[in-house]
PDB file of all heavy atoms in Angstrom:
ATOM      1  N   ASN A   3     -23.538  -0.514 -26.446  1.00 81.00           N
ATOM      2  CA  ASN A   3     -22.232  -1.063 -26.717  1.00 81.00           C
ATOM      3  C   ASN A   3     -21.196  -0.583 -25.665  1.00 81.00           C
ATOM      4  O   ASN A   3     -21.256   0.543 -25.238  1.00 81.00           O
ATOM      5  CB  ASN A   3     -21.749  -0.614 -28.088  1.00 81.00           C
ATOM      6  CG  ASN A   3     -22.434  -1.348 -29.199  1.00 81.00           C
ATOM      7  OD1 ASN A   3     -23.073  -2.407 -28.986  1.00 81.00           O
ATOM      8  ND2 ASN A   3     -22.422  -0.766 -30.379  1.00 81.00           N
ATOM      9  N   ARG A   5     -17.849   0.772 -23.943  1.00 92.00           N
ATOM     10  CA  ARG A   5     -16.843   1.816 -24.328  1.00 92.00           C
ATOM     11  C   ARG A   5     -15.651   1.653 -23.402  1.00 92.00           C
ATOM     12  O   ARG A   5     -15.682   1.116 -22.309  1.00 92.00           O
ATOM     13  CB  ARG A   5     -17.490   3.187 -24.136  1.00 92.00           C
ATOM     14  CG  ARG A   5     -18.782   3.397 -24.918  1.00 92.00           C
ATOM     15  CD  ARG A   5     -19.247   4.844 -24.866  1.00 92.00           C
ATOM     16  NE  ARG A   5     -18.433   5.675 -25.757  1.00 92.00           N
ATOM     17  CZ  ARG A   5     -18.623   6.954 -25.920  1.00 92.00           C
ATOM     18  NH1 ARG A   5     -19.538   7.627 -25.185  1.00 92.00           N
ATOM     19  NH2 ARG A   5     -17.879   7.664 -26.792  1.00 92.00           N
ATOM     20  N   ILE A   9      -7.005   6.390 -19.009  1.00 98.00           N
ATOM     21  CA  ILE A   9      -6.855   7.514 -17.961  1.00 98.00           C
ATOM     22  C   ILE A   9      -5.411   7.662 -17.629  1.00 98.00           C
ATOM     23  O   ILE A   9      -4.756   6.737 -17.119  1.00 98.00           O
ATOM     24  CB  ILE A   9      -7.695   7.233 -16.767  1.00 98.00           C
ATOM     25  CG1 ILE A   9      -9.197   7.118 -17.123  1.00 98.00           C
ATOM     26  CG2 ILE A   9      -7.533   8.254 -15.716  1.00 98.00           C
ATOM     27  CD1 ILE A   9     -10.168   6.703 -16.006  1.00 98.00           C
ATOM     28  N   PHE A  48       3.238 -13.738  -9.271  1.00 91.00           N
ATOM     29  CA  PHE A  48       4.515 -13.107  -9.468  1.00 91.00           C
ATOM     30  C   PHE A  48       5.233 -13.574 -10.690  1.00 91.00           C
ATOM     31  O   PHE A  48       5.387 -14.804 -10.888  1.00 91.00           O
ATOM     32  CB  PHE A  48       5.433 -13.422  -8.259  1.00 91.00           C
ATOM     33  CG  PHE A  48       5.063 -12.628  -7.047  1.00 91.00           C
ATOM     34  CD1 PHE A  48       3.931 -12.990  -6.298  1.00 91.00           C
ATOM     35  CD2 PHE A  48       5.879 -11.578  -6.550  1.00 91.00           C
ATOM     36  CE1 PHE A  48       3.585 -12.242  -5.162  1.00 91.00           C
ATOM     37  CE2 PHE A  48       5.524 -10.899  -5.401  1.00 91.00           C
ATOM     38  CZ  PHE A  48       4.445 -11.266  -4.704  1.00 91.00           C
ATOM     39  N   PRO A  82      14.033  -2.427  -9.142  1.00 86.00           N
ATOM     40  CA  PRO A  82      14.838  -1.524  -8.331  1.00 86.00           C
ATOM     41  C   PRO A  82      16.004  -0.821  -9.039  1.00 86.00           C
ATOM     42  O   PRO A  82      16.367   0.265  -8.687  1.00 86.00           O
ATOM     43  CB  PRO A  82      15.362  -2.526  -7.258  1.00 86.00           C
ATOM     44  CG  PRO A  82      14.356  -3.593  -7.185  1.00 86.00           C
ATOM     45  CD  PRO A  82      13.884  -3.773  -8.575  1.00 86.00           C
ATOM     46  N   ALA A  83      16.509  -1.461 -10.130  1.00 89.00           N
ATOM     47  CA  ALA A  83      17.587  -0.811 -10.866  1.00 89.00           C
ATOM     48  C   ALA A  83      17.210   0.504 -11.537  1.00 89.00           C
ATOM     49  O   ALA A  83      18.033   1.311 -11.833  1.00 89.00           O
ATOM     50  CB  ALA A  83      18.141  -1.803 -11.887  1.00 89.00           C
ATOM     51  N   ALA A  92       8.753   1.526  -9.459  1.00 87.00           N
ATOM     52  CA  ALA A  92       7.564   0.827  -9.848  1.00 87.00           C
ATOM     53  C   ALA A  92       6.820   1.519 -10.975  1.00 87.00           C
ATOM     54  O   ALA A  92       6.813   2.795 -11.078  1.00 87.00           O
ATOM     55  CB  ALA A  92       6.608   0.708  -8.605  1.00 87.00           C
ATOM     56  N   ASN A  99     -13.071  -3.790 -14.995  1.00 97.00           N
ATOM     57  CA  ASN A  99     -14.032  -4.584 -15.794  1.00 97.00           C
ATOM     58  C   ASN A  99     -15.454  -4.421 -15.256  1.00 97.00           C
ATOM     59  O   ASN A  99     -15.670  -4.287 -14.054  1.00 97.00           O
ATOM     60  CB  ASN A  99     -13.704  -6.075 -15.714  1.00 97.00           C
ATOM     61  CG  ASN A  99     -12.412  -6.399 -16.451  1.00 97.00           C
ATOM     62  OD1 ASN A  99     -11.357  -6.091 -15.926  1.00 97.00           O
ATOM     63  ND2 ASN A  99     -12.488  -6.998 -17.610  1.00 97.00           N
ATOM     64  N   ILE A 115      -2.084   5.327  -8.238  1.00 97.00           N
ATOM     65  CA  ILE A 115      -3.143   4.702  -7.467  1.00 97.00           C
ATOM     66  C   ILE A 115      -2.486   3.733  -6.516  1.00 97.00           C
ATOM     67  O   ILE A 115      -2.965   3.605  -5.348  1.00 97.00           O
ATOM     68  CB  ILE A 115      -4.068   3.949  -8.464  1.00 97.00           C
ATOM     69  CG1 ILE A 115      -4.866   4.986  -9.269  1.00 97.00           C
ATOM     70  CG2 ILE A 115      -5.006   2.958  -7.759  1.00 97.00           C
ATOM     71  CD1 ILE A 115      -5.723   4.379 -10.379  1.00 97.00           C
ATOM     72  N   GLU A 134      -5.333   3.612  21.323  1.00 91.00           N
ATOM     73  CA  GLU A 134      -5.257   3.205  22.739  1.00 91.00           C
ATOM     74  C   GLU A 134      -4.054   3.887  23.442  1.00 91.00           C
ATOM     75  O   GLU A 134      -4.062   3.961  24.665  1.00 91.00           O
ATOM     76  CB  GLU A 134      -5.073   1.669  22.817  1.00 91.00           C
ATOM     77  CG  GLU A 134      -6.289   0.913  22.421  1.00 91.00           C
ATOM     78  CD  GLU A 134      -7.505   0.987  23.363  1.00 91.00           C
ATOM     79  OE1 GLU A 134      -7.213   1.126  24.578  1.00 91.00           O
ATOM     80  OE2 GLU A 134      -8.624   0.937  22.890  1.00 91.00           O
ATOM     81  N   ARG A 140       6.858  11.405  17.053  1.00 98.00           N
ATOM     82  CA  ARG A 140       8.171  11.232  16.445  1.00 98.00           C
ATOM     83  C   ARG A 140       8.073  10.133  15.384  1.00 98.00           C
ATOM     84  O   ARG A 140       7.952   8.990  15.756  1.00 98.00           O
ATOM     85  CB  ARG A 140       9.228  10.904  17.449  1.00 98.00           C
ATOM     86  CG  ARG A 140       9.356  11.956  18.636  1.00 98.00           C
ATOM     87  CD  ARG A 140      10.196  11.373  19.725  1.00 98.00           C
ATOM     88  NE  ARG A 140       9.538  10.211  20.336  1.00 98.00           N
ATOM     89  CZ  ARG A 140      10.161   9.223  21.007  1.00 98.00           C
ATOM     90  NH1 ARG A 140      11.473   9.296  21.194  1.00 98.00           N
ATOM     91  NH2 ARG A 140       9.444   8.254  21.502  1.00 98.00           N
ATOM     92  N   GLY A 145      13.976   4.223   4.374  1.00 97.00           N
ATOM     93  CA  GLY A 145      13.649   4.246   2.965  1.00 97.00           C
ATOM     94  C   GLY A 145      12.969   5.527   2.618  1.00 97.00           C
ATOM     95  O   GLY A 145      11.971   5.859   3.254  1.00 97.00           O
ATOM     96  N   HIS A 154       3.952   9.971   4.195  1.00 98.00           N
ATOM     97  CA  HIS A 154       4.036  11.216   4.994  1.00 98.00           C
ATOM     98  C   HIS A 154       2.876  12.157   4.578  1.00 98.00           C
ATOM     99  O   HIS A 154       2.255  12.761   5.445  1.00 98.00           O
ATOM    100  CB  HIS A 154       5.378  11.871   4.809  1.00 98.00           C
ATOM    101  CG  HIS A 154       5.477  13.173   5.526  1.00 98.00           C
ATOM    102  ND1 HIS A 154       5.138  14.409   4.959  1.00 98.00           N
ATOM    103  CD2 HIS A 154       5.841  13.458   6.814  1.00 98.00           C
ATOM    104  CE1 HIS A 154       5.224  15.349   5.851  1.00 98.00           C
ATOM    105  NE2 HIS A 154       5.692  14.820   6.946  1.00 98.00           N
ATOM    106  N   PHE A 226      13.358  -2.100  19.749  1.00 98.00           N
ATOM    107  CA  PHE A 226      11.968  -1.772  19.811  1.00 98.00           C
ATOM    108  C   PHE A 226      11.429  -1.845  21.326  1.00 98.00           C
ATOM    109  O   PHE A 226      10.168  -1.921  21.500  1.00 98.00           O
ATOM    110  CB  PHE A 226      11.142  -2.751  18.927  1.00 98.00           C
ATOM    111  CG  PHE A 226      11.615  -2.791  17.495  1.00 98.00           C
ATOM    112  CD1 PHE A 226      12.647  -3.621  17.066  1.00 98.00           C
ATOM    113  CD2 PHE A 226      10.975  -1.962  16.585  1.00 98.00           C
ATOM    114  CE1 PHE A 226      13.060  -3.611  15.777  1.00 98.00           C
ATOM    115  CE2 PHE A 226      11.349  -1.962  15.227  1.00 98.00           C
ATOM    116  CZ  PHE A 226      12.443  -2.776  14.849  1.00 98.00           C
ATOM    117  N   ILE A 231       4.912   1.913  17.166  1.00 98.00           N
ATOM    118  CA  ILE A 231       4.106   1.384  16.139  1.00 98.00           C
ATOM    119  C   ILE A 231       5.001   1.319  14.919  1.00 98.00           C
ATOM    120  O   ILE A 231       5.642   2.252  14.523  1.00 98.00           O
ATOM    121  CB  ILE A 231       2.889   2.287  15.837  1.00 98.00           C
ATOM    122  CG1 ILE A 231       1.920   2.254  17.033  1.00 98.00           C
ATOM    123  CG2 ILE A 231       2.118   1.791  14.600  1.00 98.00           C
ATOM    124  CD1 ILE A 231       0.821   3.266  16.971  1.00 98.00           C
ATOM    125  N   ILE A 251      -0.207  -7.316  13.359  1.00 98.00           N
ATOM    126  CA  ILE A 251      -1.427  -7.076  12.654  1.00 98.00           C
ATOM    127  C   ILE A 251      -1.128  -7.043  11.202  1.00 98.00           C
ATOM    128  O   ILE A 251      -0.167  -6.461  10.753  1.00 98.00           O
ATOM    129  CB  ILE A 251      -2.041  -5.671  13.086  1.00 98.00           C
ATOM    130  CG1 ILE A 251      -2.222  -5.605  14.613  1.00 98.00           C
ATOM    131  CG2 ILE A 251      -3.357  -5.440  12.346  1.00 98.00           C
ATOM    132  CD1 ILE A 251      -3.150  -6.573  15.194  1.00 98.00           C
ATOM    133  N   HIS A 266       6.000 -14.481   6.804  1.00 98.00           N
ATOM    134  CA  HIS A 266       6.062 -15.805   6.179  1.00 98.00           C
ATOM    135  C   HIS A 266       7.302 -16.577   6.722  1.00 98.00           C
ATOM    136  O   HIS A 266       7.187 -17.727   7.092  1.00 98.00           O
ATOM    137  CB  HIS A 266       6.194 -15.622   4.664  1.00 98.00           C
ATOM    138  CG  HIS A 266       6.190 -16.904   3.906  1.00 98.00           C
ATOM    139  ND1 HIS A 266       6.763 -17.055   2.630  1.00 98.00           N
ATOM    140  CD2 HIS A 266       5.668 -18.169   4.196  1.00 98.00           C
ATOM    141  CE1 HIS A 266       6.586 -18.299   2.278  1.00 98.00           C
ATOM    142  NE2 HIS A 266       5.911 -18.967   3.153  1.00 98.00           N
ATOM    143  N   LEU A 267       8.411 -15.926   6.808  1.00 98.00           N
ATOM    144  CA  LEU A 267       9.623 -16.496   7.321  1.00 98.00           C
ATOM    145  C   LEU A 267       9.427 -16.947   8.725  1.00 98.00           C
ATOM    146  O   LEU A 267       9.915 -17.981   9.225  1.00 98.00           O
ATOM    147  CB  LEU A 267      10.825 -15.567   7.222  1.00 98.00           C
ATOM    148  CG  LEU A 267      11.250 -15.169   5.824  1.00 98.00           C
ATOM    149  CD1 LEU A 267      12.431 -14.161   5.874  1.00 98.00           C
ATOM    150  CD2 LEU A 267      11.689 -16.376   5.038  1.00 98.00           C
ATOM    151  N   GLU A 269       6.501 -17.811  10.161  1.00 98.00           N
ATOM    152  CA  GLU A 269       5.660 -18.982  10.123  1.00 98.00           C
ATOM    153  C   GLU A 269       6.469 -20.201   9.820  1.00 98.00           C
ATOM    154  O   GLU A 269       6.294 -21.306  10.486  1.00 98.00           O
ATOM    155  CB  GLU A 269       4.533 -18.814   9.087  1.00 98.00           C
ATOM    156  CG  GLU A 269       3.650 -20.054   8.984  1.00 98.00           C
ATOM    157  CD  GLU A 269       2.782 -20.028   7.739  1.00 98.00           C
ATOM    158  OE1 GLU A 269       3.207 -19.525   6.737  1.00 98.00           O
ATOM    159  OE2 GLU A 269       1.639 -20.567   7.864  1.00 98.00           O
ATOM    160  N   GLN A 322     -18.057  12.172 -13.927  1.00 95.00           N
ATOM    161  CA  GLN A 322     -18.946  13.164 -13.377  1.00 95.00           C
ATOM    162  C   GLN A 322     -18.548  14.573 -13.845  1.00 95.00           C
ATOM    163  O   GLN A 322     -19.448  15.433 -14.050  1.00 95.00           O
ATOM    164  CB  GLN A 322     -18.940  13.124 -11.858  1.00 95.00           C
ATOM    165  CG  GLN A 322     -19.623  11.900 -11.205  1.00 95.00           C
ATOM    166  CD  GLN A 322     -21.097  11.838 -11.503  1.00 95.00           C
ATOM    167  OE1 GLN A 322     -21.611  11.145 -12.391  1.00 95.00           O
ATOM    168  NE2 GLN A 322     -21.848  12.623 -10.762  1.00 95.00           N
ATOM    169  N   ASN A 342     -23.417  -7.705 -42.405  1.00 49.00           N
ATOM    170  CA  ASN A 342     -23.418  -7.916 -43.924  1.00 49.00           C
ATOM    171  C   ASN A 342     -22.918  -6.651 -44.552  1.00 49.00           C
ATOM    172  O   ASN A 342     -23.091  -5.552 -44.096  1.00 49.00           O
ATOM    173  CB  ASN A 342     -24.879  -8.151 -44.367  1.00 49.00           C
ATOM    174  CG  ASN A 342     -25.407  -9.528 -43.866  1.00 49.00           C
ATOM    175  OD1 ASN A 342     -24.580 -10.506 -43.707  1.00 49.00           O
ATOM    176  ND2 ASN A 342     -26.662  -9.622 -43.598  1.00 49.00           N
TER     177      ASN A 342
END
Side-chain angles (χ1 to χ4, degrees):
N3 286 342
R5 306 188 75 182
I9 299 173
F48 286 71
N99 293 75
I115 290 173
E134 294 287 329
R140 301 167 298 157
H154 177 270
F226 303 86
I231 295 171
I251 305 298
H266 184 208
L267 296 177
E269 180 193 32
Q322 291 293 101
N342 294 328

